[in-house]
Amino acid sequence: MPEAIQKVCVIGAGTMGAGIAAQVANAGVPVLLLDIVRDPANRNAVAQGALERLRKAEPAAFMSKRAAKLVEVGNIEDDLARVATCDWVIEAIVERLDLKHALYEKLEAVRRPGTAVSSNTSTIPLEQLVAGRSEGFARDFLITHFFNPPRYMRLLEVVAGPASDAALVAKVSDFADRALGKTVVRAKDTPGFLANRVGTFWIQQAINAALDLGLTVEEADAVVGKPIGVPKTGVFGLVDLVGIDLMPHLKASLTATLPADDAYRAIAVDHPLITKMIADGYTGRKGKGGFYRLNREAGKRKEAIDLVSGEYRPTAKPPTIPGAALKDLRALVGLSGKLGAYAWAVLGPTLSYAASLVPQASDDIVAIDVAMKLGYNWKFGPFELIDKLGTAAFADRLKAEGKPVPAIVELAAGRPFYRVEGGKRQALGLDGEYHDVARPEGVVLLEDIKLSAKPLLKTASAALWDVGDGVAALEFTGKMNALDGEVMKLIGQAIPLVAEKFKGLVIYNEGSHFSAGANLGLALFAMNIAAWGEIEKLVAGGQQALKALKYAPFPVVGAPSGMALGGGCEVLLHCDAIQAHAESYIGLVECGVGLVPGWGGNGEMLDRWRHNPALPKGPMPAVAKVFETVSTATVSKSAAEAIEHGFLRPTDQVTMNRDRLLADAKARALALAEGYRPPEPPVFRLPGAGGKTALDMAVQGFRARGLATPHDEVVSGALARILTGGDADLIDTVTEDDLLAAERREFTSLVRNPATQARIEHMLKTGKPLRN
């Protein structure tokens, strides 16, 4: 295997090129970003401007300010020779073959032999890209097709040519996997590769069918959204998101290279309505609106376009999909009326088209399913959807309509594409046999373990699993992985079991989010019936459970991904170490719903900040820092930023690839298990009444400027009493238990406050904080 990739050059500082450069920097790898010279007075202006846009981008392109410093800018005329210092050159210039050829000719003269060169193209065949180049260049060349935005989209399609060096392709793929966090899918050198080939067909077919069957955009999105496992944007909302003006470009690029008999050609029609929308600037969210828009003249009223008249009208309530059809795809396509007809009119041709791409675009059905799940955020891939319909029923319906049945569906002969055999998930191969679905080396997933194992312990909201090598995993299982008494109960049961039979514990799950925090719905219910004792019991029980985790006789490693908010953050604060996925959004957000952290989070944050060398010594700086962080409900936008806020320690580690999180967390737990000793309980000296007065004055200043509400002042006062030690004096010592008692007092007092109850109710109804 060639040496590791230590520096990358990205040529082309447009949206994609700049985004790729940012993700390389997020991996901690220096990157050189080059573009053309447009301004003789500032020859690096194009790349420099791209870097400045990256710094301000929302959602953020960089995971930390440190990452942005790893991007160097330059221009192709003056700095192309600097690619000789790089191990991988990524070309992301405009989709013109002549310009790419001209660039490759210059690159060949300056790059080191053995340096990987790849194109981010999704439209030009690899064989055309390397035409006229030397054997050495062709050997080092491949296509690496990223998806936008490169930081957040996990899919990377890799295409190698017949001359590509397999070891070099493996080197780039491994770097993309481990360092950039990508799921690498190998595709053949065919138009659109996998995700865009199927995705473009699906979008076009969905729009055509909606127009043909007379559906509204709301009806169409309701059918091809949640019921089939597509994000709630549906199709029309998705096109608004990515840009309606992208559709003609996709159509042009695909039809220029697709075989003459490809099914996409028959549906790739121009709709006058869409042509007019683009001409009038209605290109989606980036324009004046799209299929949906906010009418600012009407008080930001949400409107949808009438697909017949082309006029906007107030959005209509989506149609009600019968319960059975929401859960059963066969019931959905079997509905009478236009909704069922539309479901089949989209799914039938789209799934048939995806199946027809085997083996043309890929020999592997799993690759196509993964591409659609990660590239278009489908919950299920095309072949998984066919399984839900039944391969026999799917084939029979195609035959009944006089449509061809794809060869891979005929090969299935009524068998499912996927099955579980001997505790292993298997997929149907081109040889008609089932083969184990292989994971990349080093990947361990709980979903695989569950195929052949039962939980060691289980409650209504959590489970404990043996994940091998002497490590157990505690999984939250409730809605949004919210925390309640059942979670705390399982923690209490798990500690003696893990202590007896395991070396360490990992807290991990494979949901979209680690935990959204305490179950507010249960809390509001208890408030409404004045069950104050139950709330006090939940607070005390949570404190006891997390404290027991902290002082357990084995190492505990938290492994978050996605949101870890409120109580979810407090769980992590009590762990010995964190192995966080790079996309972890961590924060103590209780003040936003009129509460304070109640499960020990205040003391844990104080203990971290008082040992932070960046702060001045003395009792007040750490208190002020934690007060600022918690009172403003600060949430990190990445794991790297979580370290800056103190939610993670500088010694905590980050995993870029989500699929590698469990394996990395296991390894961390085993490393800590050697000679493990629980931490010593902290003892604090806090500023007392004088410190609280200073914090109160700061909040009063914010309120005078309109930056804090009346109830913010109440909640901040409760937080200040906890953090400053209440009536404690500077000469007094405050124990961990003293802080926990203060948390209980302030929390249980706030839940009785009608303003807090209003905040919680508003959050549950709208998902947004109430500023009362």
Side-chain angles (χ1 to χ4, degrees):
M1 177 72 69
E3 293 182 5
I5 292 172
Q6 299 179 34
K7 186 174 181 180
V8 174
C9 175
V10 178
I11 303 177
T15 300
M16 283 302 300
I20 294 167
Q23 185 63 0
V24 173
N26 288 334
V29 175
V31 56
L32 175 64
L33 180 62
L34 306 179
D35 210 308
I36 60 174
V37 176
R38 283 200 182 128
D39 180 1
N42 180 4
R43 297 174 66 81
N44 297 339
V46 176
Q48 185 64 50
L51 179 57
E52 293 307 313
R53 287 191 295 275
L54 286 174
R55 294 181 194 273
K56 301 173 185 176
E58 285 295 336
F62 290 114
M63 293 179 181
S64 68
K65 293 178 181 178
R66 294 190 305 275
K69 296 177 182 178
L70 290 173
V71 180
E72 302 176 75
V73 298
N75 68 78
I76 297 171
E77 293 181 22
D78 303 326
D79 301 302
L80 196 62
R82 295 172 65 189
V83 303
T85 66
C86 300
D87 306 299
W88 180 15
V89 180
I90 304 171
E91 172 268 301
I93 67 172
V94 295
E95 294 288 76
R96 277 182 50 185
L97 186 59
D98 60 330
L99 296 181
K100 293 182 189 289
H101 277 170
L103 174 62
Y104 297 164
E105 184 176 2
K106 294 176 183 176
L107 269 178
E108 189 155 19
V110 295
R111 75 177 186 102
R112 284 183 288 111
T115 300
V117 180
S118 71
S119 175
N120 186 56
T121 186
S122 63
T123 63
I124 302 176
L126 186 147
E127 63 177 350
Q128 293 182 21
L129 292 172
V130 297
R133 301 267 55 82
S134 69
E135 289 183 10
F137 190 91
R139 185 173 59 247
D140 296 340
F141 190 85
L142 66 157
I143 289 173
T144 51
H145 180 222
F146 291 80
F147 282 70
N148 192 34
R151 170 179 166 182
Y152 299 96
M153 297 299 287
R154 292 173 57 192
L155 179 63
L156 177 70
E157 294 177 324
V158 171
V159 180
S164 299
D165 177 28
L168 196 65
V169 173
K171 171 183 170 180
V172 169
S173 298
D174 187 68
F175 178 81
D177 170 348
R178 297 174 189 271
L180 302 185
K182 301 304 174 189
T183 296
V184 176
V185 169
R186 292 291 293 271
K188 294 185 179 181
D189 190 18
T190 55
F193 310 134
L194 300 181
N196 281 347
R197 180 84 174 269
V198 177
T200 302
F201 185 100
W202 166 64
I203 290 171
Q204 186 73 54
Q205 181 65 21
I207 291 173
N208 292 358
L211 289 163
D212 292 343
L213 295 171
L215 271 76
T216 65
V217 293
E218 297 96 330
E219 290 171 333
D221 285 345
V223 172
V224 295
K226 183 178 178 181
I228 65 172
V230 167
K232 62 182 180 181
T233 55
V235 168
F236 289 100
L238 173 65
V239 175
D240 276 356
L241 181 64
V242 300
I244 297 173
D245 53 337
L246 184 62
M247 291 181 61
H249 295 293
L250 287 171
K251 175 194 166 188
S253 65
L254 278 175
T255 53
T257 51
L258 283 173
D261 61 349
D262 191 87
Y264 176 72
R265 291 184 178 277
I267 67 167
V269 296
D270 291 322
H271 296 292
L273 171 64
I274 293 175
T275 303
K276 185 175 187 302
M277 289 173 70
I278 295 171
D280 293 344
Y282 287 94
T283 55
R285 295 189 188 182
K286 66 183 179 182
K288 295 188 290 185
F291 294 107
Y292 299 96
R293 75 172 184 182
L294 286 177
N295 188 335
R296 289 171 173 79
E297 295 179 0
K300 291 189 176 180
R301 181 179 67 195
K302 190 173 182 180
E303 297 180 338
I305 201 165
D306 186 298
L307 294 176
V308 177
S309 69
E311 300 296 324
Y312 283 95
R313 50 163 177 76
T315 53
K317 183 179 179 181
T320 300
I321 308 291
L326 287 173
K327 299 176 181 178
D328 185 345
L329 209 58
R330 288 169 294 187
L332 181 69
V333 299
L335 286 175
S336 60
K338 63 180 180 180
L339 298 185
Y342 181 67
W344 175 253
V346 176
L347 282 174
T350 299
L351 301 183
S352 180
Y353 186 71
S356 74
L357 298 181
V358 180
Q360 176 196 154
S362 175
D363 294 332
D364 184 5
I365 67 168
V366 178
I368 296 175
D369 279 349
V370 170
M372 290 310 297
K373 289 193 285 188
L374 296 184
Y376 279 77
N377 288 323
W378 285 17
K379 186 175 181 179
F380 308 103
F383 294 95
E384 292 171 326
L385 290 171
I386 294 174
D387 274 356
K388 289 181 176 296
L389 292 170
T391 54
F394 181 69
D396 289 345
R397 187 158 180 177
L398 291 177
K399 290 175 183 175
E401 295 175 354
K403 297 173 182 174
V405 178
I408 190 72
V409 178
E410 293 276 22
L411 181 66
R415 296 174 295 165
F417 284 112
Y418 293 97
R419 73 177 188 183
V420 176
E421 187 75 19
K424 299 278 182 88
R425 191 177 191 227
Q426 297 182 328
L428 190 68
L430 286 173
D431 59 359
E433 302 295 327
Y434 286 97
H435 304 274
D436 291 348
V437 175
R439 302 292 186 190
E441 182 183 357
V443 169
V444 178
L445 295 180
L446 191 54
E447 69 172 85
D448 292 341
I449 292 170
K450 290 178 179 181
L451 295 177
S452 59
K454 294 182 178 179
L456 302 168
L457 298 170
K458 184 172 176 57
T459 66
S461 302
L464 185 73
W465 299 88
D466 182 345
V467 292
D469 303 315
V471 177
L474 193 157
E475 175 196 27
F476 307 141
T477 60
K479 184 177 181 181
M480 293 289 286
N481 291 323
L483 308 177
D484 56 20
E486 291 294 299
V487 172
M488 302 310 165
K489 174 183 173 183
L490 188 125
I491 290 174
Q493 295 172 343
I495 289 173
L497 178 61
V498 175
E500 179 186 356
K501 297 184 176 181
F502 293 87
K503 298 175 183 178
L505 176 69
V506 169
I507 304 179
Y508 165 88
N509 64 72
E510 287 166 4
S512 299
H513 300 289
F514 179 76
S515 175
N519 190 324
L520 287 179
L522 286 178
L524 184 62
F525 176 76
M527 292 176 204
N528 287 337
I529 62 173
W532 309 118
E534 290 300 311
I535 293 176
E536 292 169 8
K537 180 180 175 182
L538 179 62
V539 176
Q543 289 183 347
Q544 181 181 359
L546 298 192
K547 186 178 176 183
L549 267 183
K550 179 179 178 180
Y551 296 112
F554 50 79
V556 179
V557 176
S561 178
M563 293 190 299
L565 305 178
C569 176
E570 289 180 290
V571 169
L572 298 176
L573 291 172
H574 286 80
C575 294
D576 292 290
I578 303 298
Q579 186 73 42
H581 180 229
E583 299 298 346
S584 292
Y585 317 120
I586 305 172
L588 294 169
V589 297
E590 288 87 348
C591 289
V593 290
L595 296 169
V596 290
W599 285 338
N602 298 291
E604 294 301 320
M605 288 292 285
L606 276 177
D607 195 33
R608 292 182 181 203
W609 279 106
R610 69 177 178 153
H611 292 110
N612 190 309
L615 290 186
K617 298 298 182 183
M620 196 61 194
V623 168
K625 183 64 178 178
V626 176
F627 181 80
E628 175 191 6
T629 301
V630 178
S631 66
T632 56
T634 299
V635 176
S636 73
K637 294 181 179 179
S638 67
E641 195 174 285
I643 296 174
E644 298 173 9
H645 292 309
F647 300 128
L648 302 185
R649 306 173 185 87
T651 54
D652 287 328
Q653 297 176 4
V654 176
T655 295
M656 292 295 284
N657 191 318
R658 177 68 178 79
D659 289 345
R660 296 187 178 275
L661 184 58
L662 178 55
D664 289 350
K666 277 179 58 180
R668 193 80 194 281
L670 290 170
L672 291 172
E674 296 294 326
Y676 175 76
R677 294 177 61 184
E680 292 293 323
V683 177
F684 302 90
R685 291 190 184 277
L686 299 175
K692 183 180 183 305
T693 299
L695 297 178
D696 288 344
M697 290 177 63
V699 174
Q700 289 166 10
F702 281 117
R703 185 175 172 190
R705 291 159 55 197
L707 301 176
T709 67
H711 197 49
D712 287 338
E713 196 167 0
V714 173
V715 176
S716 295
L719 179 63
R721 279 190 291 275
I722 297 169
L723 296 176
T724 59
D727 296 329
D729 195 85
L730 272 173
I731 61 173
D732 296 328
T733 57
V734 178
T735 67
E736 184 176 53
D737 286 340
D738 292 333
L739 283 176
L740 291 174
E743 282 186 349
R744 290 195 301 273
R745 285 194 303 271
E746 299 299 340
F747 190 100
T748 53
S749 172
L750 284 169
V751 295
R752 289 173 165 83
N753 191 312
T756 287
Q757 295 168 17
R759 283 193 176 188
I760 293 173
E761 187 171 7
H762 189 268
M763 177 61 74
L764 289 170
K765 283 184 177 179
T766 69
K768 298 178 181 178
L770 175 65
R771 305 291 294 147
N772 60 346

